[in-house]
Amino acid sequence: MTVLASHPVFATQVSDEIPASVADRLGRPLRDLRLSVIDACNFRCPYCMPADRIADDHGLDAASRLDFDEMETLVRAFVRLGVQKLRLTGGEPLLRKRLPDLVARLMTIPGLDDVALTTNGSLLAGQALALRRAGLQRLTVSLDALDQRIYQQLSGGRGNVGQVLAGIAAAEAAGFVSIKLNCVVQRGINDDQVLPLVKHFRNSGHVLRFIEYMDVGTCNDWSAARVVPSVELRDRIHARWPLRALAPNYRGEVATRYGFDDGAGEIGFVSSMSEPFCGDCHRARVSADGKLYTCLFAGEGADVRAVLADGVDAVVEHVGRLWSNRGDRYSELRGRRPAGKRVEMFLVGG
Ligand code: SAM
Ligand code: SF4
Ligand code: SF4
């Protein structure tokens, strides 16, 4: 039993195997943290950071971003609150200078079981080995198309699919296995890329995941007509390469898993629009300037940076209270309430 079980904000009973966790108002523990290491990006994907709304030089000045000492304090506190999985994200995290040094520091935190990174892959070829050597365990690479013309359009005219594929190859060579490949599918934009992507990554050992286009933020001109429900994609893929459902790897897993009947590996679907999973949402997000968002669709973040200088105990107290007041379930209530202000995806990293 850990000492924290007696702390007033810790509502979830613990054993030595499962660390204590604070529970929110709906009884959901805090298990995952997504930490944005930078709010800038070298892409302008129209569904996230459209070029006509977000200036080329968008980004906080260096002093407004958490430094590595602050990030380490923050992550130590979140681990004390029950977090086991950390994902580094952005903006584009590989734009953050000395990122492998940060990874190496975070890897020393006891109780952190899993450290992953989400990237657009454009700079991965040059950094994969250093990240692996620093101890990074898992990688997710976003890849919305194989066709260069479509890929370029979906990266706001900035991306090169060959560079991303080279990044994936470098990651394999560096020792990353079972890399996740995220594809946000939009009807009439890249849904014709689904089968080519499946064909390309079958038998690769990597896991392609199709993500429903979400109404995140307020600048992407989201429209429901562009959402392709996962079940439609699954049926399309199944007609070509028969699939069978697989059990989740763990409770609260965001993607629904399917295996190819012929043993060519697995794929996943993230169905936040058609099958909301708020009931199992154990995830907190912290922006590069140290604001906590308890939902991807939150309007405001709560400042955590101000307490970081007071040390881990103070952050545990502060974040524990914020989490225990959480009642978010935006996706379950979608359409039943007027949509208000929503944080932009590039600030909280997906
Ligand atoms: N820049 C990195 C990248 O693109 O992988 C990390 C940050 S990005 C915000 C994280 C993920 O959010 C990406 O996989 C991206 O495709 C996804 N994303 C962005 N906007 C989205 C939207 N409107 N709906 C669904 N997923 C979205
Ligand atoms: Fe940048 Fe990622 Fe957003 Fe694309 S999805 S604009 S790569 S942060
Ligand atoms: Fe979690 Fe909010 Fe998404 Fe629901 S809408 S799954 S609470 S992030």
Side-chain angles (χ1 to χ4, degrees):
M1 191 78 65
T2 90
V3 121
L4 286 170
S6 60
H7 189 283
V9 300
F10 284 86
T12 302
Q13 188 50 32
V14 295
S15 69
D16 283 337
E17 288 74 43
I18 303 172
S21 175
V22 58
D24 72 7
R25 278 176 16 219
L26 302 175
R28 297 169 297 188
L30 172 51
R31 292 292 181 213
D32 297 359
L33 173 63
R34 297 207 155 189
L35 174 59
S36 171
V37 296
I38 193 164
D39 60 318
C41 188
N42 53 344
F43 282 11
R44 284 293 179 274
C45 308
Y47 54 73
C48 174
M49 208 176 178
D52 57 349
R53 308 271 179 97
I54 315 292
D56 272 5
D57 61 355
H58 162 86
L60 296 164
D61 57 275
S64 304
R65 290 182 186 134
L66 299 186
D67 64 26
F68 289 180
D69 288 338
E70 289 174 309
M71 287 188 189
E72 185 180 337
T73 302
L74 181 105
V75 174
R76 283 186 186 277
F78 272 83
V79 169
R80 290 253 306 269
L81 285 159
V83 160
Q84 295 162 313
K85 294 156 72 85
L86 170 69
R87 180 169 293 277
L88 301 176
T89 178
E92 175 43 45
L94 299 190
L95 291 175
R96 178 82 194 224
K97 291 194 175 67
R98 299 185 294 107
L99 187 66
D101 294 352
L102 175 66
V103 171
R105 281 178 73 160
L106 298 178
M107 289 306 302
T108 65
I109 299 177
L112 195 57
D113 298 341
D114 185 24
V115 180
L117 173 95
T118 303
T119 171
N120 64 29
S122 59
L123 303 168
L124 187 57
Q127 298 192 33
L129 188 57
L131 288 166
R132 187 71 185 170
R133 285 188 173 148
L136 186 70
Q137 288 153 310
R138 294 193 304 117
L139 259 186
T140 298
V141 179
S142 300
L143 182 59
D144 294 330
L146 280 179
D147 178 283
Q148 171 57 21
R149 190 187 55 78
I150 300 171
Y151 184 78
Q152 197 175 17
Q153 181 194 347
L154 282 171
S155 56
R158 327 249 162 147
N160 180 302
V161 76
Q163 275 175 1
V164 180
L165 294 175
I168 294 167
E172 284 169 358
F176 287 99
V177 294
S178 199
I179 297 168
K180 293 208 175 92
L181 301 151
N182 276 359
C183 172
V184 177
V185 182
Q186 294 181 67
R187 195 181 299 285
I189 306 279
N190 66 334
D191 51 342
D192 64 344
Q193 294 297 292
V194 168
L195 292 181
L197 279 163
V198 174
K199 187 174 177 196
H200 187 91
F201 287 106
R202 270 166 47 83
N203 287 309
S204 68
H206 306 316
V207 181
L208 190 56
R209 305 192 313 172
F210 295 105
I211 299 173
E212 290 177 347
Y213 177 34
M214 286 187 283
D215 52 340
V216 282
T218 45
C219 71
N220 62 6
D221 291 331
W222 180 87
S223 107
R226 291 237 173 117
V227 178
V228 186
S230 294
V231 69
E232 182 182 325
L233 292 180
R234 185 201 60 197
D235 290 350
R236 216 189 286 176
I237 298 165
H238 178 71
R240 175 82 182 270
W241 296 287
L243 296 169
R244 66 195 148 76
L246 299 177
N249 284 313
Y250 52 88
R251 176 151 186 229
E253 188 171 28
V254 168
T256 313
R257 302 169 61 218
Y258 285 84
F260 293 106
D261 261 353
D262 63 3
E266 72 173 84
I267 55 173
F269 298 93
V270 181
S271 317
S272 346
M273 302 298 301
S274 61
E275 287 178 61
F277 37 77
C278 301
D280 267 339
C281 182
H282 309 149
R283 181 169 297 165
R285 296 170 166 88
V286 175
S287 58
D289 59 351
K291 294 205 168 64
L292 169 71
Y293 293 83
T294 54
C295 178
L296 191 49
F297 298 89
E300 302 287 342
D303 186 45
V304 178
R305 188 175 204 182
V307 293
L308 291 172
D310 299 334
V312 174
D313 286 347
V315 183
V316 168
E317 188 73 38
H318 182 59
V319 173
R321 290 201 188 290
L322 291 168
W323 187 264
S324 59
N325 279 325
R326 174 191 193 235
D328 305 286
R329 51 189 195 109
Y330 175 89
S331 289
E332 286 181 351
L333 300 176
R334 182 181 276 118
R336 285 195 259 157
R337 283 186 181 172
K341 188 178 169 211
R342 298 187 297 271
V343 63
E344 299 301 333
M345 187 74 133
F346 60 86
L347 295 177
V348 289

